[in-house]
Amino acid sequence: MESPKQPLGRPRDSRVDDAIRGAVRELIAEVGYAGLTVDAVAARAGVGKAAIYRRHASRVELVFAGLVHDREPHPLPDTGSLHGDLTGLANVIVKSFSDPVVAAAIPGLLADLKQHPDTAERFQRTFIAMERGQVSGILQRALVRGELTVEADPVLVHATMLGTVFAWTFLLDRQPGPELVERIAALTAAGLTGGGPGRPVG
Amino acid sequence: MESPKQPLGRPRDSRVDDAIRGAVRELIAEVGYAGLTVDAVAARAGVGKAAIYRRHASRVELVFAGLVHDREPHPLPDTGSLHGDLTGLANVIVKSFSDPVVAAAIPGLLADLKQHPDTAERFQRTFIAMERGQVSGILQRALVRGELTVEADPVLVHATMLGTVFAWTFLLDRQPGPELVERIAALTAAGLTGGGPGRPVG
Amino acid sequence: MESPKQPLGRPRDSRVDDAIRGAVRELIAEVGYAGLTVDAVAARAGVGKAAIYRRHASRVELVFAGLVHDREPHPLPDTGSLHGDLTGLANVIVKSFSDPVVAAAIPGLLADLKQHPDTAERFQRTFIAMERGQVSGILQRALVRGELTVEADPVLVHATMLGTVFAWTFLLDRQPGPELVERIAALTAAGLTGGGPGRPVG
Amino acid sequence: MESPKQPLGRPRDSRVDDAIRGAVRELIAEVGYAGLTVDAVAARAGVGKAAIYRRHASRVELVFAGLVHDREPHPLPDTGSLHGDLTGLANVIVKSFSDPVVAAAIPGLLADLKQHPDTAERFQRTFIAMERGQVSGILQRALVRGELTVEADPVLVHATMLGTVFAWTFLLDRQPGPELVERIAALTAAGLTGGGPGRPVG
DNA sequence: CGGTAATCGAGACGGTACGTCTAGTCTTAAA
DNA sequence: TTTAAGACTAGACGTACCGTCTCGATTACCG
């Protein structure tokens, strides 16, 4: 009847997990994703390489796990308006891209995900699905409020919010800041509702 | 007095350039960007590695040059409306992302650009600046037409158009198609002008 | 007054000793000395690695103990002649080298002994000293009989008998057999006594 | 018609061969065969690991090649007597075992040869066959002189000479010296011819 | 009978070498 | 000076093994 039975053998040492995660974050901050080597992580963490490969099948998973750790949903409260809700979402996205460790890792991680379908799928199920759920919630509430009269595609809205921040940061090579949050929210809200006539965006 | 002097020694063989470019494109299609090795390119092209490095300073530049080749400005004609112009632009962006070779190369290329500031700057000066110029033109014409009453930031609009397609393709892992062109153009145009009230997007 | 006191705690399980020894011998026969791993021994014996290292300080000692087990002195009876005694000794040596497990282990074991002075010394005190004692006895009896008129160095005679079999087996890569026993004994006896004039050996 | 044509590409750099060989010999002298690592050889030689593996398929071949280099036949002159010829041969064997690099490498090399049939065969064809040829010559000359009246097996004599030195050095753990040369030659010559009656050996 | 202590199988731990692979540079002879 | 071919240095990769340590469970003796 005791299903969660203790597995045989010496149990994993959680301090090793922490040390690995810490080393990954430190090293990404210092040498970037491309400069990160598994040997360096092991040395920095004071850990054998076997301990790393026992936990992570590849360098991608290692970094992914280092970034994902306890990043829970962020419920995004109902602000009472579509514009407010989108501002909240944009803020969360910009915030996460502002973590220097995350920012240094994302392009390389995205590239390597092509070689690791399992991790890619986990990325989809974790981050992407979660954020899309938030977008859906926002659009649903706007529909109930009457701000929207027709259903909008949450995937497109998600792509717009996320992609704009991504492009701003990695393709156009600019620092995302609070003013970007406001402008993205305004543009998207206007695009969905029609907004005020001639409302400027730039 | 003869400035475009013929350089000394054996002139470069332009068939070598073509063979390299062809091999790069073939190999990216077959094994992806991460699986591409310079030795493989040399072997496939029937060319020595020195011939490659004489032309391209690094693997990144090699791939970059392979993708860029004869991709000229595309003047983007004035369609007479902001929505039409944005549709044209969105179409160009989606088209370029639809080339399977380009699509297979972009994430890895973007990641490696972080390690190669020179190539990154060239990427900015070439593609990014060119597309931003097109966005500026579109917004300027809309202002002249009276569709816009206030100046909009071309960088933000560019980030929205480009980023939405990028996110759709590489973050949300979906195929971009003609319907995406229309929906991006509509959302952006509405966002800029305020659009019709309650105009749906999804 | 009770010196062989029972030690505290759970006593060692002698079936574990047997299982380890058996696994070592099986695995050496199957994969050779170089291919033998402690993990494989543990797995084959159905035993934890700690149980092995509790008994043996290193891989070398593990194998050494596996080969040595109950290999008692073999008193080598007085046959009444030097030639007969040497034949008996040569026979023992060839016999021990003919055990396929021993033969598969010896070269690697000898190499690793250089890294393990303790085990090397134990090897000297056990095998080498014992065999040298037998050689000394044989030479002593021959002296008493009058077959020898001057004392011979037992170390050199030992080196000749043991080394010839070793070289035959591991350097010249031949199977040692009964005829080798006779020829070694004849050559050595003749070398010690002067033998019959022109007595052939090959 | 020019068969030894220059192969394509950059030719091997003979200084690299020398540096590798030198590093192998230095390191064996310093840390022994077991302590020798390919990385250390590469570092000491100032050479990439690829340059080593391009030349040697394994660590064994690397060491073997390091020891073998220009070790030519040593014609062993006819001294006019079996005893003199055998002394000459014993001297060559003891000399080669006296090289500290060779002595440090032999047991490990011998062990690893079991895992590398190709190198083992090369060892047989090179050293073993050459020395056996010398033994054959010595026995043949003794037969012509009348010192031997019946043919003796060169393989057994070879095993005796080589094995005695080997056992003395590696099994009995003693330094071989000039007196060993004389005693081995005397014992073997006496064994073959019958020698003087009661001629002592020790 | 309950406590103490060494044992057991299982397997995680740090460390380290292996042999492979790649990037970017250099060196040939021939063109 | 270019070409194809391929050797060069440097260094990361993922695997494997050693000898140690840690876990819960077991098995004896001691009091």
Side-chain angles (χ1 to χ4, degrees):
Chain A
M1 185 86 187
E2 42 203 339
S3 36
K5 183 130 49 107
Q6 152 95 8
L8 286 178
R10 177 176 178 176
R12 299 265 173 96
D13 186 341
S14 69
R15 289 172 325 210
V16 170
D17 298 73
D18 297 344
I20 291 173
R21 195 160 39 238
V24 166
R25 298 186 65 90
E26 282 178 35
L27 285 167
I28 285 180
E30 292 174 21
V31 299
Y33 178 85
L36 185 87
T37 71
V38 178
D39 287 87
V41 171
R44 176 71 63 99
V47 141
K49 283 173 69 175
I52 295 179
Y53 281 106
R54 201 174 290 123
R55 289 166 167 77
H56 310 284
S58 64
R59 202 176 65 123
V60 198
E61 291 223 3
L62 168 62
V63 175
F64 187 66
L67 301 188
V68 165
H69 191 240
D70 58 42
R71 194 179 286 281
E72 69 267 16
H74 269 289
L76 277 190
D78 184 345
T79 62
S81 74
L82 175 61
H83 182 272
D85 285 1
L86 289 177
T87 303
L89 178 61
N91 195 47
V92 167
I93 294 174
V94 165
K95 275 263 168 46
S96 66
F97 278 58
S98 300
D99 177 347
V101 173
V102 171
I106 278 189
L109 208 47
L110 182 63
D112 284 359
L113 281 182
K114 302 287 157 187
Q115 263 63 45
H116 298 266
D118 295 358
T119 314
E121 200 206 350
R122 192 165 144 230
F123 170 69
Q124 290 293 326
R125 285 202 322 270
T126 312
F127 279 107
I128 300 303
M130 186 193 82
E131 274 190 10
R132 184 169 55 241
Q134 295 179 324
V135 173
S136 294
I138 290 172
L139 295 177
Q140 194 60 35
R141 290 200 294 268
L143 208 58
V144 170
R145 280 186 209 107
E147 290 183 283
L148 289 182
T149 56
V150 192
E151 288 196 353
D153 179 9
V155 174
L156 179 65
V157 175
H158 187 202
T160 302
M161 306 282 292
L162 183 56
T164 304
V165 181
F166 187 98
W168 186 270
T169 310
F170 299 115
L171 297 174
L172 310 186
D173 221 22
R174 288 155 188 261
Q175 301 296 328
E179 84 291 354
L180 182 65
V181 170
E182 172 53 35
R183 291 158 76 191
I184 290 175
L187 178 67
T188 311
L192 288 170
T193 61
R199 181 107 176 293
V201 189
Chain B
M1 186 86 183
E2 39 203 339
S3 36
K5 182 140 44 125
Q6 152 94 11
L8 285 178
R10 173 176 174 176
R12 292 217 182 148
D13 185 342
S14 71
R15 287 171 327 205
V16 170
D17 298 71
D18 297 342
I20 292 174
R21 194 161 40 240
V24 166
R25 297 187 63 91
E26 281 178 35
L27 285 167
I28 286 181
E30 291 174 22
V31 299
Y33 178 85
L36 184 88
T37 70
V38 179
D39 288 83
V41 172
R44 175 70 63 99
V47 142
K49 283 174 70 179
I52 294 178
Y53 279 103
R54 202 173 290 119
R55 291 164 168 78
H56 310 283
S58 66
R59 195 179 69 121
V60 193
E61 292 230 359
L62 166 63
V63 175
F64 187 67
L67 300 189
V68 165
H69 190 241
D70 59 42
R71 195 177 287 281
E72 68 265 16
H74 267 287
L76 276 190
D78 183 347
T79 63
S81 74
L82 175 60
H83 182 272
D85 284 2
L86 290 177
T87 302
L89 177 61
N91 196 47
V92 167
I93 295 175
V94 165
K95 274 265 168 45
S96 66
F97 277 59
S98 299
D99 176 348
V101 173
V102 171
I106 278 189
L109 208 47
L110 181 62
D112 283 0
L113 282 181
K114 303 286 157 185
Q115 263 62 47
H116 294 82
D118 294 359
T119 315
E121 200 204 350
R122 191 165 142 230
F123 170 68
Q124 289 293 327
R125 284 201 324 269
T126 312
F127 278 107
I128 301 302
M130 186 194 82
E131 273 189 11
R132 183 168 55 242
Q134 295 179 325
V135 173
S136 294
I138 289 171
L139 294 177
Q140 194 60 35
R141 291 198 295 268
L143 207 58
V144 169
R145 280 187 210 109
E147 289 183 283
L148 289 182
T149 55
V150 194
E151 287 196 352
D153 178 8
V155 174
L156 179 66
V157 176
H158 186 202
T160 301
M161 305 282 292
L162 182 56
T164 304
V165 181
F166 188 98
W168 186 272
T169 309
F170 299 116
L171 297 174
L172 309 186
D173 221 22
R174 288 156 188 260
Q175 302 297 329
E179 83 293 353
L180 181 65
V181 170
E182 171 54 33
R183 290 157 77 192
I184 290 175
L187 178 66
T188 311
L192 288 171
T193 62
R199 179 101 176 298
V201 189
Chain C
M1 186 69 188
E2 39 204 341
S3 37
K5 182 133 49 114
Q6 154 92 14
L8 285 178
R10 174 177 176 176
R12 298 232 176 130
D13 185 341
S14 70
R15 288 172 327 209
V16 170
D17 298 72
D18 297 343
I20 291 173
R21 194 161 39 241
V24 166
R25 297 187 64 90
E26 281 178 34
L27 286 167
I28 286 181
E30 291 173 22
V31 299
Y33 178 85
L36 184 88
T37 71
V38 179
D39 288 84
V41 172
R44 175 71 62 100
V47 142
K49 284 174 69 177
I52 294 178
Y53 279 104
R54 204 174 290 123
R55 291 163 169 79
H56 310 283
S58 65
R59 195 179 70 122
V60 194
E61 292 230 358
L62 166 64
V63 175
F64 187 67
L67 300 188
V68 166
H69 190 240
D70 58 42
R71 193 179 287 281
E72 68 266 17
H74 266 288
L76 276 190
D78 183 346
T79 63
S81 75
L82 175 59
H83 182 272
D85 285 2
L86 290 178
T87 303
L89 178 60
N91 196 47
V92 167
I93 295 175
V94 166
K95 275 264 168 44
S96 67
F97 278 58
S98 299
D99 176 348
V101 173
V102 171
I106 278 189
L109 208 47
L110 181 62
D112 284 359
L113 282 181
K114 303 285 156 187
Q115 263 61 48
H116 293 83
D118 295 359
T119 314
E121 201 204 349
R122 191 165 142 230
F123 171 69
Q124 288 294 327
R125 285 202 323 269
T126 312
F127 279 107
I128 300 302
M130 187 192 82
E131 273 190 11
R132 184 169 55 239
Q134 296 179 326
V135 173
S136 295
I138 289 171
L139 295 177
Q140 194 61 34
R141 290 198 295 268
L143 207 57
V144 169
R145 280 187 211 108
E147 289 183 283
L148 289 181
T149 56
V150 194
E151 287 195 352
D153 179 7
V155 174
L156 178 66
V157 176
H158 187 202
T160 302
M161 307 281 292
L162 183 56
T164 304
V165 182
F166 187 98
W168 187 271
T169 310
F170 298 116
L171 297 175
L172 309 186
D173 220 21
R174 287 154 190 262
Q175 302 298 328
E179 83 292 354
L180 182 64
V181 170
E182 171 53 33
R183 290 157 77 191
I184 290 175
L187 177 67
T188 311
L192 288 172
T193 62
R199 180 105 176 295
V201 188
Chain D
M1 187 76 189
E2 40 204 341
S3 35
K5 183 130 50 108
Q6 152 96 9
L8 285 178
R10 176 176 177 175
R12 298 265 172 96
D13 186 341
S14 69
R15 289 172 325 209
V16 170
D17 297 73
D18 297 344
I20 292 173
R21 195 162 38 240
V24 166
R25 296 187 65 89
E26 282 179 34
L27 285 167
I28 285 180
E30 292 173 23
V31 299
Y33 179 84
L36 185 88
T37 71
V38 179
D39 287 86
V41 172
R44 176 69 63 98
V47 141
K49 282 173 70 176
I52 294 179
Y53 281 106
R54 199 175 291 123
R55 289 166 168 77
H56 310 284
S58 64
R59 201 177 65 124
V60 198
E61 291 223 1
L62 168 62
V63 175
F64 187 67
L67 301 189
V68 166
H69 192 239
D70 57 44
R71 195 179 284 282
E72 69 266 16
H74 269 288
L76 276 190
D78 182 346
T79 63
S81 74
L82 175 60
H83 181 273
D85 285 1
L86 289 177
T87 302
L89 178 60
N91 196 46
V92 167
I93 295 176
V94 166
K95 275 262 168 47
S96 67
F97 278 58
S98 299
D99 177 347
V101 173
V102 171
I106 278 188
L109 208 47
L110 182 62
D112 285 358
L113 281 182
K114 303 286 157 187
Q115 264 63 46
H116 298 266
D118 295 359
T119 314
E121 200 205 350
R122 193 166 142 229
F123 170 69
Q124 289 293 327
R125 285 200 323 269
T126 312
F127 280 109
I128 300 303
M130 186 193 83
E131 274 190 11
R132 185 169 52 241
Q134 295 180 324
V135 173
S136 295
I138 289 172
L139 295 177
Q140 194 60 36
R141 291 198 295 266
L143 207 58
V144 170
R145 278 186 211 109
E147 289 183 283
L148 289 181
T149 55
V150 193
E151 288 197 353
D153 179 10
V155 174
L156 178 66
V157 176
H158 187 202
T160 302
M161 306 283 291
L162 183 56
T164 304
V165 182
F166 188 98
W168 186 271
T169 310
F170 299 116
L171 297 175
L172 309 185
D173 221 22
R174 287 155 190 261
Q175 301 297 327
E179 84 291 353
L180 182 64
V181 170
E182 173 53 35
R183 291 158 75 191
I184 290 175
L187 178 67
T188 310
L192 287 170
T193 64
R199 182 105 176 296
V201 189

